[in-house]
Structures are given as structure tokens and as C-alpha cells.
Amino acid sequence: MKTIDELLAEGVAGKRVFVRADLNVPLDGTTITDDGRIRAVLPTVAKLAEAGARVVVASHLGRPKGAPDPAFSLAPAAARLGELLGADVAFATDTVGASARATVAGLADGRVAVIENLRFNAGETSKDDAERGAFADQLAELADAYVGDGFGAVHRKHASVFDLPARLPHYAGYLIATEVGVLKKLTTDVQRPYAVVLGGAKVSDKLGVIDHLLERADRILIGGGMAYTFLKAKGYEVGSSLLQEDQIPAVREYLRRAEEKGVEFVLPVDVVVAPAFPDLKTKAPAHPATVAADAMPEGQMGLDNGPETNKLYASKLADAATVFWNGPMGVFEHPDFADGTRAVAQALVESPAFSVVGGGDSAAAVRILGFDENAFGHISTGGGASLEYLEGKTLPGLAALED
């Protein structure tokens, strides 16, 4: 895999360099609520611009239906990129149309442009190779070289991620090189004890990585909505908590295998419940109560780990040498249910372990809850990509960058 440093050594002044970034930032209207992914691609974009390249930045945002949708415009992300660069960033109002062509043609050396959301074109996400290829052909006309730096999208077989690199000289950006280097530390020559913390809503989203980690981790801590399927599998009642009943047989099998292999599976011993899911807009009091994990009342919904669980999990992380964390422990966006996620983050800050926060909601939680990002070993920009890498899958966007 060639890196951006090799491209820079070849010389980029006057060349159009297409940077596939991940600017898929959360928006409240047109306000960016977490600019972490924009800041993550900044070193690559800035270095290319400083070297005189004409930088064309492209990304997806959200899940538009293959057609323009103002709610998913990249205009706010382009404006924020300009603020962070300290320079004007041009913005094309389409992906490969007249605006994109004119915007790129008008770039001076060392300047940056962002083209509109790639998913406004159905060819970006098409399962038809020919349709994807045709869109990639149009994108290729905008550039002389390709830099892949959108780690959050490398597990997608999309035109700008998989097909476009085959049409241009291609290189890995600084972010992707860093992400892959970190993930290798979680899969080869891992320092032990190796602890994994998994949360989030659905256990079905994590089955593959649990299966893979049972062969590698020393202990696995479970939280979030997915914990209630594990508790139900142990025979506990879970009230009105999120439950994937169809996954209970698989969960029981994982618990059996963990015991057989000597992998410690740690589940909540107490939980914070409320009568209903909280209002995340008003943050109105949700009337929480703490109950034992094996004594959840009917009609109550589990929404966070309880204080005893928080102490337990902190103790299980204190002596770890390597920690991977993906998924919040509760509905951290509401103050009544943020303590479990905060406790895991704090435990990682205090631990000497090499800690990796595996993207997505976990990365957002670290920032929203006010933690210093530098206190963690690495905060990934790609939750889904990180999980699939740890499952041992081939990621299309990484395979496309290989020579």
C-alpha cells in the first residue's frame, strides 16, 4: 500500500488530488455537533495543499436515496473544513456535474474544494458493478491521483471507495495509515491482558466481532442495549428493555464458548431503569431508579449500567494492557443515563493500557462528555470499519489501495 508520503515525494504541485474523506458528521439542522471526522482528515488535506496540490475532497453524509436532499448537504462540513484550514474552501453543488467540473477547473495550486455528497448519485452505492463503475469514471475525470483517507467508509464497496482507486494512481492518507497501524496492535502481538468493552443497541451488530474476539481477548465486558439480551439469556427478566429474542440462542452459545476457553464474560450486576425512553431534546428528568440486574421490574426499561457495575468494570480495566471499546454503556446523550459510559471512559483514562475507542457513538461520547481525546491511545473514526477489521474481514476500501 503506497502512502501519501510517496505521492508527495513524487511531487503534487499543480496536480488534482482526489481525497476520499469521511465528513459524515452529525448535524442539528446545519450545525455540526461533532467535527471529529473533519479534524481527522485535516493533516492529509493540509499537507497536500501546502505542497501545491489542487485538492478535491469528497465524502458521503447520511443516507440520502441516491438523489439530492438538502438535509444531507456537505456545505456545513465544507465551511468547517475551511475554518480549520484557515483558508477558503470552494464548494461544488453537485458531484460530477457542471458545478463540480467548474469548481475543480477553477482551483489554483494549493487550494481546496469539496464536492457535494457522493450519495446524491445512485452510482455511489449501487450493487451493480457497471453503474458504480460509470460513476467512478466520472469522478476520475476530476483528478490525477487518489488518496484514500475516509476510514469510516472503507468497509463499503462503493464507487468512490472501491472502484475509483483502480482508475487513478492511489495512495493511503495519514488517517488510514494510522487506523490500520492501530488495529494491527489489536490483532497481532497484542499486549495482555486484553480487555474488550462492547456496548450499543443491538447484539446482532456485534455477533461477528464477539465470535472473533472469543479466540483473542482475555475478558469481554458487555453494556448498552445489547446487555439485556445477554441478561435474558441467563434467565433474568428484563422488563421493557431492548431485547433481541431471536439472538438468545447465539448469545447462550457465546457464553458457553467463553467459559470453555477461559474468556471472562462480564455482564452488568445492576442497571439504571426508567418507565420510558428519555426525551433527548429537552433532557427532561426521566425518573431513573437503580435495580439489581436480576431483579428488573416489569414495565421498566434498562437504560444504563448501575454504580456497582461501573465499579466492577473499572476494576476489570485497571490491570489491562490493551483495551478496545466500541459502543456506549447507556443513553449517554441524557444526563440521567450517562454515568456508565462516563465510567468506562474514566477507567481508560486512568488505566496504563493502550486504549482504542472504536469510533461511532463511543468516539462521540468521549467528546460530548468532555474527555481529553489525547488521554486515550487512539480514537477511531470508523466504528463499523473497526469492527469488520477485527472480525477478520477484507475491507474493500483497504483492498483497493493495495498494489
Side-chain angles (χ1 to χ4, degrees), residues 351-375:
S351 168
F354 175 67
S355 57
V356 178
V357 181
D361 287 340
S362 313
V366 163
R367 290 188 276 266
I368 289 169
L369 295 176
F371 287 90
D372 179 359
E373 294 180 47
N374 295 320

Side-chain angles (χ1 to χ4, degrees), residues 7-25:
L7 171 61
L8 290 165
E10 295 165 12
V12 295
K15 289 184 178 179
R16 302 167 302 163
V17 180
F18 189 103
V19 177
R20 199 335 179 158
D22 179 8
L23 308 181
N24 186 26
V25 292

Side-chain angles (χ1 to χ4, degrees), residues 5-150:
D5 286 332
E6 292 172 84
L7 171 61
L8 290 165
E10 295 165 12
V12 295
K15 289 184 178 179
R16 302 167 302 163
V17 180
F18 189 103
V19 177
R20 199 335 179 158
D22 179 8
L23 308 181
N24 186 26
V25 292
L27 293 171
D28 182 1
T30 59
T31 301
I32 296 170
T33 58
D34 180 1
D35 68 356
R37 284 176 170 165
I38 302 175
R39 287 185 287 110
V41 78
L42 203 62
T44 289
V45 173
K47 193 73 172 180
L48 288 167
E50 288 167 11
R54 303 175 183 188
V55 188
V56 182
V57 180
S59 177
H60 69 287
L61 191 152
R63 296 180 182 272
K65 307 295 184 183
D69 183 339
F72 298 105
S73 175
L74 277 174
R80 181 58 180 149
L81 179 61
E83 292 172 358
L84 292 168
L85 286 170
D88 289 338
V89 168
F91 181 65
T93 56
D94 57 25
T95 55
V96 291
S99 179
R101 292 194 299 272
T103 300
V104 174
L107 277 178
D109 292 1
R111 307 304 287 184
V112 178
V114 174
I115 63 174
E116 187 54 286
N117 191 337
L118 292 163
R119 291 185 183 176
F120 285 0
N121 189 305
E124 170 68 1
T125 59
S126 176
K127 293 190 180 347
D128 181 82
D129 291 349
E131 185 177 9
R132 265 198 342 273
F135 183 47
D137 287 340
Q138 291 177 291
L139 290 171
E141 293 175 8
L142 301 175
D144 304 304
Y146 176 95
V147 172
D149 215 30

Side-chain angles (χ1 to χ4, degrees), residues 187 207-217 389-392:
T187 52
L207 289 179
V209 75
I210 292 172
D211 185 67
H212 204 66
L213 289 168
L214 280 173
E215 305 295 330
R216 291 160 178 78
Y389 189 99
L390 292 181
E391 286 179 45

Side-chain angles (χ1 to χ4, degrees), residues 289-344:
T290 300
V291 299
D294 61 355
M296 288 186 62
E298 187 176 341
Q300 294 285 310
M301 179 181 294
L303 296 165
D304 196 15
N305 287 346
E308 293 305 314
T309 301
N310 294 340
K311 291 177 190 174
L312 173 65
Y313 284 20
S315 72
K316 297 295 182 182
L317 298 172
D319 68 340
T322 304
V323 180
F324 174 70
W325 171 30
N326 181 280
M329 299 293 98
V331 186
F332 70 91
E333 302 92 337
H334 192 285
D336 288 343
F337 308 106
D339 285 351
T341 302
R342 184 181 290 108
V344 168

Side-chain angles (χ1 to χ4, degrees), residues 157-169:
K157 192 177 181 180
H158 291 171
S160 66
V161 176
F162 179 75
D163 302 272
L164 182 57
R167 289 157 168 78
L168 293 169

